[in-house]
Amino acid sequence: MDVSAPDALTPARGDIARTADFAAARRRRLDRERADARDAREVRDGRAKRSFPPLARGQMVATDWRARPFHGLAQALLGRDAGPAAAATGKPAWAAVAERRRTVFMALIALSTLAAVGALWAAWPADEIGALHVLVLALFAVLFAWIAAGFWTAVTGFALLLRGGDRFAPTRNVDRAKPISPAARTAIVMPVCNEDVATVFGGLRATMESLAATGSARLFDFFVLSDTRQPDLRVQELAAFNELKGAAGAEGESARLFYRWRGRAAKKKAGNVADFCRRWGRNYRYMVVLDADSVMSGDCLIALVRLMEAHPDAGIIQTAPRALGPDTLHGRLQQFVQRVTGPLFTAGMQYWQMGESHYWGHNAIIRTAPFMQHAALAKLPARGSKPGMLDGDVMSHDFVEAALMRRAGYHVWVAYQLQGSYEQVPPSLATELQRDRRWCLGNLQNARLIGEPGLHPVHRVMFLTGLLSYVSAPLWLGFLLLSTALAVMQHTASPLGALANVSLQPQASANWIMLALFAATATMLVLPKVLAVAAVFLRREQRRFGGSGRLLGSAAAELVLSVVMAPVRMMFHAQFVLAAYIGQFTGWKITWRSPPRGAQATTWMEALRIHGLHALIAAVWLGSVVWAVGAGGAVWLAPVLVPLLIAIPLSVVSSLPSLGQRLARTGLFAVPEEAWAPAVLRAAARYQSRPLRPLGFADAVANPAVHADVSRAMGPRETQEGLRAGRRLQLAERAAQRGLSLLSADEQMRLLSEPQALALLRLWLAARGTVEARASAAASANQSAWTDETQPPGSRGAQPRRAQRRAGDE
């Protein structure tokens, strides 16, 4: 007998290896099942660990608003307002410089406006000036002053960028080698509400990894603060949170990650941040507030903490996030505008605002203790017997919180030169207008607070500029409508025109004045864009934008598209303002929804619904002028009305991802981050593109791992007794009898908030062995394909499952 020949009954070496792998996988599966059972017992016994740290209760008490803007402004002008409190370190050295800069800035605006108003007045016949002329002149003065303010801000920013920055910038003279005190604990909070889960946790993971690479991650804790009200999204959030938590723990030194879901989503984002402050704010010297689409590098976060440590009188330091758009024409256009033109306006505003600057609600660091003491927001009182849209919760909380921090003696800065802060821009015109609708309501609300006692004059001006950024739209619309009516009456010799004495036609000898006035207005609108491109060339950065030719082509195309889109935005902003002021009488309401973060094409029906009414108004307007005056009389209205007529195809085409991708290949509207993306952006893009498991409420019941994730998030809650427990048990029993699909979204959210009731529902479904339970088990097995290590040797479907898992990991 040949002893070297293998025994026929001895398994081959490959079979032995496969059998060992199968046994090891089976042991791992059994270990997971035991862990799931242990988690279930801990939930039932009230010993489960929560997804958030122990409470450290603090107070954040709001002071009622007076909401009397005119009375408050009068008191301030009469010197009866004490103004902001003095900072602990006394009056800063830059305060006198700031006063001089603001005086010069306001003088430039006033002189420009007076010159323009005087020119328009001189162009009219002196013996034909009527009351409507005065009204038109008043509208023109307000609108020209608004244009002049933007123009001189951009000119100042251009000079500042060429000079290399402001010597009073907070980023100057900061020792980067000095170690940060261990007491400078910082919380990074990200409020979310029905957001895209991949965007949120992909960006957050990239931020955490970048911070870990700095070696200072132990100073930071991350909090995901969820107000999500969709049960499937909430389950996906919890699964992504636990996955990220496991990945962060496996990477060694990393910041801690927590998740908190609010049962009562009061006051939206501001209320979510305030809820965090009351629960854990005492544990942290600073907090960095992020948006759902924010990405920040670790170096940027460390720099923010250093700046706060170096400036003990600073309450808020805001970064200037760089915009990144999805691959649509609109997204690429907006990222180009903000990347090229944005720095001019940001630097210009910082030049005269200095330590009384903006806070934009995200990508900024806040000194927690004074924020809790002084920045709580009360509800705006109702102006009548019936609450209106401008009453209630403060929506644009960021400007108000900055004003309150400055009133308390703490300064607010914009560190516009700081690198490593990013945000997304809306992917389409429709989503931009949806966002603007919320911003409009918030800025109109803030105008009611302009007379609050103790506010700094700069922040009162900010409230006014926020108001004008949207009220200017109905003012422009009124100016155009009034000019059209006067021109028609003049042409038809209407008796109303004779009675009103309303000729707006200039004298023949003064035509050159009107041409000069038109040229001056156009220059003030266009020159900031020219200066922005010139600044890129003077700093020799054109190669980062695709080269000189692509930069100039992109700038020219942006100028044309901005002229086309301006009337569309004007009509919507006018509509938003009208809805806000008369909404309580008409029933108009503003829906607060999170916009889509990725590229989504606007459908033709959606574009028709959004722009159809404005296109009809434009058609009637243009037709009326042609009928009354003739085709020649409508030429001057064409730049305003033609964009409204083509708004529907423009909205659709500008939202197409395919067009945006073709533009990206040609380099049009390119930004430096496309040619050389920082590591944190490359990581964020990689994580955000990974496919997510299609989880939902049924998985929270049927899938053991998902069920454990959901149960751990709530932690031990004693809800077995009382009326509330009885209602939850009845709900769980009804779901077990009739099926999960019959539960409403609110009922599913209630069960997700009660770990004991959810555990009982899972047990009842398993005990009943219903068809739904078997279907849920099948769904659970489907999901486990993403996590199972392997399958028994020779079993069907093993290789496809492994391939699917590898694709998910990549």
Side-chain angles (χ1 to χ4, degrees):
M1 182 178 182
D2 188 359
V3 296
S4 63
D7 188 3
L9 299 179
T10 302
R13 183 171 301 175
D15 292 337
I16 294 176
R18 285 195 295 272
T19 303
D21 290 342
F22 171 62
R26 186 174 183 180
R27 285 194 299 272
R28 286 192 291 270
R29 190 177 299 108
L30 289 174
D31 290 340
R32 286 199 301 269
E33 292 176 355
R34 294 190 186 100
D36 293 338
R38 183 174 62 252
D39 291 338
R41 287 196 301 269
E42 290 178 350
V43 169
R44 289 195 299 272
D45 298 340
R47 294 183 288 108
K49 293 183 179 179
R50 291 176 175 166
S51 59
F52 46 83
L55 297 180
R57 290 285 187 184
Q59 289 187 344
M60 194 168 178
V61 182
T63 303
D64 290 339
W65 304 111
R66 295 186 182 180
R68 300 173 62 188
F70 299 108
H71 178 268
L73 282 177
Q75 295 293 314
L77 292 174
L78 293 174
R80 299 173 183 172
D81 192 335
T89 55
K91 190 173 182 179
W94 51 263
V97 177
E99 293 297 327
R100 290 196 296 271
R101 290 180 178 181
R102 293 162 188 167
T103 301
V104 173
F105 182 73
M106 296 303 293
L108 289 172
I109 296 174
L111 291 174
S112 302
T113 305
L114 287 174
V117 170
L120 182 58
W121 182 270
W124 289 337
D127 56 345
E128 296 183 5
I129 300 297
L132 292 183
H133 286 84
V134 177
L135 179 58
V136 170
L137 199 68
L139 287 174
F140 178 78
V142 173
L143 294 171
F144 195 90
W146 177 247
I147 294 173
F151 170 77
W152 289 115
T153 298
V155 171
T156 303
F158 175 75
L160 202 62
L161 290 179
L162 293 186
R163 199 173 67 183
D166 191 347
R167 60 191 178 97
F168 292 102
T171 50
R172 294 291 181 95
N173 303 321
V174 175
D175 186 2
R176 298 183 179 181
K178 183 179 179 180
I180 300 175
S181 169
R185 298 283 300 157
T186 303
I188 301 177
V189 299
M190 177 181 279
V192 298
C193 181
N194 300 329
E195 297 284 356
D196 180 72
V197 175
T199 300
V200 170
F201 287 92
L204 199 60
R205 181 170 182 176
T207 300
M208 293 182 68
E209 290 180 352
S210 179
L211 183 61
T214 65
S216 301
R218 295 186 182 276
L219 290 172
F220 296 83
D221 289 341
F222 284 77
F223 287 80
V224 178
L225 309 175
S226 176
D227 275 349
T228 294
R229 287 300 178 269
Q230 297 178 15
D232 290 350
L233 268 181
R234 186 178 169 197
V235 172
Q236 293 172 22
E237 285 178 0
L238 287 167
F241 160 74
N242 281 281
E243 180 184 357
L244 177 55
K245 192 174 180 66
E251 292 170 0
E253 181 184 354
S254 181
R256 296 186 299 172
L257 176 65
F258 302 105
Y259 176 93
R260 151 79 173 157
W261 179 80
R262 283 202 302 167
R264 183 172 175 269
K267 298 185 179 180
K268 299 182 172 60
K269 180 179 177 179
N272 206 350
V273 174
D275 178 81
F276 162 80
C277 290
R278 284 190 291 267
R279 289 173 177 269
W280 301 290
R282 293 175 54 191
N283 294 339
Y284 304 97
R285 181 178 293 180
Y286 312 117
M287 67 174 174
V288 177
V289 181
L290 302 181
D291 252 0
D293 56 9
S294 297
V295 177
M296 295 186 73
S297 69
D299 291 335
C300 183
L301 291 170
I302 295 296
L304 284 175
V305 176
R306 290 189 186 278
L307 290 177
M308 293 296 272
E309 292 284 276
H311 301 281
D313 58 350
I316 301 176
I317 297 180
Q318 170 73 61
T319 65
R322 291 182 173 176
L324 299 174
D327 278 336
T328 63
L329 170 60
H330 188 271
R332 295 187 61 79
L333 178 67
Q334 295 305 307
Q335 76 173 11
F336 179 80
V337 170
Q338 294 193 30
R339 191 67 173 84
V340 175
T341 311
L344 261 69
F345 288 97
T346 305
M349 287 189 298
Q350 177 60 36
Y351 182 78
W352 64 270
Q353 290 175 352
M354 301 190 76
E356 286 88 26
S357 194
H358 287 78
Y359 165 48
W360 298 325
H362 59 91
N363 293 44
I365 190 168
I366 300 173
R367 197 174 297 273
T368 310
F371 184 84
M372 292 175 61
Q373 184 177 357
H374 302 288
L377 302 179
K379 289 189 175 184
L380 282 165
R383 294 166 296 163
S385 59
K386 185 179 179 181
M389 296 180 68
L390 301 183
D391 306 328
D393 296 334
V394 176
M395 300 303 178
S396 289
H397 57 93
D398 37 20
F399 277 27
V400 181
E401 289 163 346
L404 294 178
M405 289 289 280
R406 184 62 191 96
R407 183 171 72 173
Y410 292 87
H411 301 135
V412 182
W413 290 91
V414 174
Y416 65 90
Q417 292 178 312
L418 208 57
Q419 308 292 322
S421 178
Y422 307 96
E423 65 174 345
Q424 291 185 10
V425 294
S428 65
L429 182 59
T431 53
E432 178 196 316
L433 294 172
Q434 178 185 338
R435 181 198 64 181
D436 280 357
R437 185 168 50 178
R438 300 195 304 269
W439 287 2
C440 174
L441 177 60
N443 281 280
L444 296 181
Q445 279 186 325
N446 291 350
R448 297 185 61 192
L449 306 177
I450 197 171
E452 291 301 304
L455 296 184
H456 195 280
V458 172
H459 285 285
R460 297 188 197 274
V461 172
M462 286 185 196
F463 288 160
L464 179 61
T465 56
L467 175 69
L468 286 175
S469 63
Y470 290 95
V471 173
S472 60
L475 292 180
W476 274 115
L477 183 60
F479 180 80
L480 292 171
L481 287 171
L482 183 59
S483 300
T484 302
L486 293 174
V488 170
M489 288 188 291
Q490 174 71 18
H491 181 81
T492 58
S494 169
L496 292 177
L499 291 174
N501 199 17
V502 292
S503 172
L504 283 183
Q505 299 299 321
Q507 304 177 59
S509 59
N511 282 337
W512 66 271
I513 298 179
M514 296 297 292
L515 292 175
L517 186 59
F518 176 80
T521 304
T523 299
M524 285 192 162
L525 291 172
V526 175
L527 188 58
K529 298 179 181 295
V530 176
L531 292 178
V533 176
V536 174
F537 278 98
L538 291 174
R539 289 181 295 179
R540 303 181 184 276
E541 295 179 350
Q542 61 268 32
R543 184 176 297 178
R544 303 180 64 193
F545 291 87
S548 301
R550 287 191 178 92
L551 175 60
L552 293 174
S554 300
E558 186 276 324
L559 178 60
V560 174
L561 288 172
S562 65
V563 170
V564 172
M565 290 185 177
V568 179
R569 294 188 176 101
M570 177 195 70
M571 289 294 290
F572 275 99
H573 290 176
Q575 177 182 325
F576 298 158
V577 172
L578 182 63
Y581 280 115
I582 70 171
Q584 65 187 101
F585 307 108
T586 63
W588 289 0
K589 292 186 177 180
I590 291 180
T591 303
W592 292 75
R593 293 180 301 174
S594 299
R597 303 295 180 182
Q600 286 187 356
T602 302
T603 64
W604 285 97
M605 288 302 298
E606 184 181 5
L608 178 62
R609 178 182 59 82
I610 295 172
H611 302 281
L613 177 61
H614 296 168
L616 179 61
I617 293 173
V620 173
W621 188 350
L622 191 62
S624 300
V625 173
V626 171
W627 175 77
V629 181
V635 172
W636 64 279
L637 280 175
V640 177
L641 298 183
V642 171
L644 298 178
L645 294 174
I646 65 171
I648 294 175
L650 177 66
S651 185
V652 173
V653 171
S654 64
S655 70
L656 295 176
S658 57
L659 176 59
Q661 291 163 6
R662 286 197 293 270
L663 292 175
R665 288 193 292 269
T666 63
L668 194 65
F669 304 126
V671 295
E673 285 74 15
E674 290 181 325
W676 183 84
V680 66
L681 290 183
R682 296 198 302 271
R686 183 171 67 252
Y687 293 135
Q688 290 170 349
S689 63
R690 293 177 58 186
L692 293 175
R693 292 183 291 171
L695 301 177
F697 175 76
D699 297 280
V701 179
N703 189 315
V706 178
H707 177 77
D709 290 344
V710 174
S711 300
R712 278 194 297 266
M714 297 309 299
R717 303 186 66 190
E718 297 298 333
T719 58
Q720 295 94 337
E721 299 179 358
L723 294 176
R724 181 175 178 178
R727 287 195 295 267
R728 295 296 189 275
L729 290 177
Q730 291 176 2
L731 182 59
E733 186 175 4
R734 179 160 57 87
Q737 292 175 347
R738 301 181 183 179
L740 301 180
S741 59
L742 297 181
L743 293 175
S744 67
D746 290 339
E747 290 173 337
Q748 292 179 12
M749 292 298 291
R750 273 186 248 164
L751 289 175
L752 289 175
S753 305
E754 302 289 347
Q756 289 88 356
L758 197 65
L760 286 174
L761 175 58
R762 173 176 167 79
L763 291 175
W764 286 344
L765 284 176
R768 289 177 183 274
T770 60
V771 176
E772 178 167 309
R774 291 195 294 272
S776 298
S780 175
N782 231 5
Q783 299 299 335
S784 65
W786 292 76
T787 54
D788 284 347
E789 300 292 339
T790 185
Q791 289 188 345
S795 63
R796 284 186 178 181
Q799 184 62 32
R801 288 189 179 187
R802 286 195 293 271
Q804 184 185 33
R805 186 175 61 253
R806 285 196 296 270
D809 291 340
E810 294 174 355

